[in-house]
Amino acid sequence: MTRFTLGGAVLRGTVSTALIASLMSAPALAAPPVDLSKWSPEYVRSIAGTQEFDTAADCAKVTPLDYKGRLTFWYQGVFEGDPDLLRQYYKDFFETFRKTYPNIQLEEQALTYNDLLDKFRTALLGNAAPMAVRLQILGGTEFASKGYLQPLKPEDVGYSTDDFWPGAMKAVTWDGVTYGIPTNNETMAFIWNADIFKRAGLDPDKAPATWDDVVKYSKQIHDKLGIAGYGLVARKNAGNTPYRFMPQLWAYGGGVFDEAKANPTYQQIELDSPQSKAALQASYDMYVRDKSVPVSALTNQQADNQPLFLAGQLGMMISHPSDYNVMLDLQKKATGTDKDKAQTVIDNMRYGLIPTGPDGKRAVVFGGSNIHILKPEYVEGGKVDEPAAKAIICMWTSPEWSLKMAYAGSNPGNLNGFKTKWMKERLDKIKFLDVTTSMLPYGIPFPALPQSPEIMNIIIPDMLQNALTGAMTVDQAADDAAKKVKDLMGGL
Amino acid sequence: MLRKIWEHRADYAYVLPAIAVMLVVIAYPIYYTIELSFFNTPPGLQLRDKTFIGFNNYTAILTSAVFWKVTWNTLIWTVGSTVISFVLGFAAALALHRDFFGRGVLRAILIIPWVISAVAASYIWKWIYHSDFGIIGAVLVGLGLADRPPNFIDSVSTVLPSLIVVNIWREFPFAMIMMMAGLQTVPEQLLRAAKVDGANAWQRFWHVTFPHLSNVSTVTILLLAVANFNSFIIPWIMTGGGPSNASHIWITHIYELAFGRQRWGVASAYSVLLFIILMTLGYFYVRALSGNDRKDGGA
């Protein structure tokens, strides 16, 4: 394990200020990773549809409905891997906002997960950012720590901080100040094709219990059927990679820091620990030793695995419950015998909990997105229309829309979303939702550090690629990644 | 000097708007990039909080293993793409210079890769090369020539050659067009005279055609080299510089350093080095053009 000292970081220069500030945010760090013990599928079913909400009336208290203004807004929107259902809800949201606030001139721009951070950072350098932005959960602390964001808490748009997941609030808190509001939060699950399992001689109704089993099952599927067993993803600069590798890393007892522990301090770098190396070894065994995962894993992302799964060429993968709807969408577009084959795969889709590590640890990324307001000096024109920004934030984070905008693949950021009638409808409509709800107690947020985007989007995928291509051994790749994190935290 | 300027004040007035635009969109960014290359820009801080570190970024770059790896990749990429594109383009131009049935159609077809969007082409080639379900792999497996699809872009040893093939596919039509234009300038009477003197086809090409094409060849090669040094779309879209940095060339590496990792100072230092190289190539380009002008003037 690599240890970097705070004193050393201070000596290295100005970046240490950010680190000190992170360590000073004691209340946030003292909170448990995610306190979600009561959020079982049964609990969710018991509260669904128990409360009515009037979004327009609630938001009118924040910004009057006849308010006249202008708002520029960027958001992480739907992309090719999302179901059509979600596309429709996004369309509905902006239509509803325009109807609710007819005098706010809204100029929205949708960007994909992988493009948003780069474009937003560039815009900030030129003081050409939008007034409000919806970022992936990783982005909150980075931009808050640099001073780009205005303080913004749920109370500012008529809600209570207690209505949001504690782990999600941590991702928008920097130096004790809240700089954003979570829109949605998610935990993924494990999906497999029961028919492939059966043909490979595996129990079709049982997910692999451990990650070691995933390695074994993947090999068995590949050896017996000649297709890919597990949908490994190791592309760089793609959000899918950390969302799929970190659960494995944490399950083996590893981590980037101590983020998987109850009270993380982010002082100890764990990427080069024996546990982290064991997790990387599991990926190496599947990709190099057994050749049981897609060879294209290094350039692919999850959107590339979905058609493989639907074509019956992939046995299992980590994903959202929305993949069931994505499969339905893809099946509708298939023709001839492909349509029947796709239907067979859909009928054989099974969802289960993400496997555990050798010591029984189960983990999943507690992901999601946040919404923020920029400081005027970084915005094009130097002005922020705060009432207009708060109007859209109030609507998006309302129980109604935080649920609808996360309808197929995620959970509402506002916990009251679970109480709406749409949640009840969703439980009936979205298959396998229970499984991802069952994963909530195992959710671990990414480290709430400004350096997290680089760690998750570049250093972790680099580590995987270095090991899987043979450019480095597993040990070297892990040590190299740990050194990169150490350098990064030291301001290099 | 001031008198001369005053005498030509109208000329200066005509070019002033263009100079003003160039100062804003070219000169200032170059100045700012050079300035930034002397600063440390930690990723955790805003750009305005940068600290002066002299030549440290340059020292760090020149002593890093990544720099030499990326430079080697860039050289392979640039030389491979430029030379093969030129040779193929020249060969195609020679073939199409002769009159035959369907020449116009063939010429139009060969130009398609050059006019197609580089982004679209990159995505299409990514699927053609797909290591699991690419069409090349499927054909090879279907014909029994391979047990499993070849690994084109997910292997550190094959990724760069595979990307160079795509780049050549896109660029050789440009070389073809340039050389076709050059071939039009070869005096027909010289070729006929050489034929009368008993020169065979190869001798006519080597002693008459080729010398006449030397300047257009130089310009074509320089333009291809500059374009290849600056290539971004194909490697970035197809592999993002991976796997394991095996297809990172200077431009993609600079982009990742700046926009992915926010090392603006280091990225600027890289850009300055690249700027120097490109300016050197630009110098030879201008010299080649000047040579052309002198020859044309003397003819």
Side-chain angles (χ1 to χ4, degrees), chain B residues 168-205:
Chain B
I168 291 166
W169 170 83
R170 243 190 78 73
E171 276 186 343
F172 91 90
F174 168 74
M176 182 185 83
I177 291 167
M178 292 289 284
M179 298 314 289
M180 277 169 67
L183 283 168
Q184 310 288 327
T185 66
V186 179
E188 196 61 32
Q189 63 269 32
L190 272 184
L191 288 166
R192 277 202 297 270
K195 199 171 183 181
V196 169
D197 288 344
N200 62 26
W202 168 251
Q203 287 168 326
R204 288 198 301 277
F205 168 74

Side-chain angles (χ1 to χ4, degrees), chain A residues 14-15 118 121-122 125 142 146-148 222 235-237 287 291 294-300 304 308 313 378 454 458 462 465-466 469 471 488 491-492, chain B residues 40 42-48 126-127 130-133 148 151 153-154 156 236-240 242-245 248 255-256 259-264:
Chain A
T14 45
V15 163
D118 287 1
R121 285 172 184 149
T122 313
L125 290 176
E142 177 187 330
K146 288 183 178 179
Y148 290 125
H222 179 260
R235 186 187 161 105
K236 201 152 102 170
N237 274 315
Y287 191 85
K291 295 180 173 51
V295 181
S296 52
L298 306 184
T299 41
N300 270 0
D304 300 301
L308 299 190
Q313 297 294 317
Y378 304 110
E454 180 170 340
I458 294 178
D462 256 347
Q465 292 198 352
N466 284 335
T469 58
L488 178 66
L492 296 178
Chain B
N40 183 27
L45 298 177
Q46 282 195 31
L47 197 51
R48 66 183 178 196
K126 198 178 161 191
W127 272 104
H130 196 286
S131 306
D132 295 296
F133 301 99
R148 53 185 298 161
N151 186 347
I153 54 174
D154 290 281
V156 287
W236 187 254
I237 289 182
M238 289 185 68
T239 62
S244 196
N245 296 329
H248 253 319
Y255 180 87
E256 186 180 290
F259 300 99
R261 301 175 57 200
Q262 301 169 85
R263 307 296 200 283
W264 307 102

Side-chain angles (χ1 to χ4, degrees), chain B residues 95-175:
Chain B
L96 289 171
H97 188 56
R98 287 183 303 169
D99 198 15
F100 60 88
F101 177 73
R103 184 173 73 154
V105 176
L106 193 57
R107 197 160 50 191
I109 289 171
L110 287 177
I111 289 171
I112 289 174
W114 190 49
V115 295
I116 207 168
S117 147
V119 174
S122 302
Y123 278 110
I124 291 166
W125 273 97
K126 198 178 161 191
W127 272 104
I128 290 172
Y129 277 150
H130 196 286
S131 306
D132 295 296
F133 301 99
I135 191 163
I136 298 175
V139 168
L140 291 176
V141 172
L143 293 173
L145 297 172
D147 292 334
R148 53 185 298 161
N151 186 347
F152 289 109
I153 54 174
D154 290 281
S155 154
V156 287
S157 55
T158 55
V159 63
L160 200 54
S162 302
L163 295 187
I164 289 173
V165 167
V166 180
N167 200 32
I168 291 166
W169 170 83
R170 243 190 78 73
E171 276 186 343
F172 91 90
F174 168 74

Side-chain angles (χ1 to χ4, degrees), chain B residues 214-237:
Chain B
S214 62
N215 283 315
V216 73
S217 299
T218 309
V219 170
T220 306
I221 288 170
L222 282 170
L223 285 175
L224 283 172
V226 170
N228 288 324
F229 251 113
N230 271 318
S231 278
F232 177 75
I233 297 174
I234 291 171
W236 187 254
I237 289 182

Side-chain angles (χ1 to χ4, degrees), chain A residues 44 46 207 370 377 399 464:
Chain A
V44 170
S46 74
N370 317 309
E377 58 264 41
L464 276 163

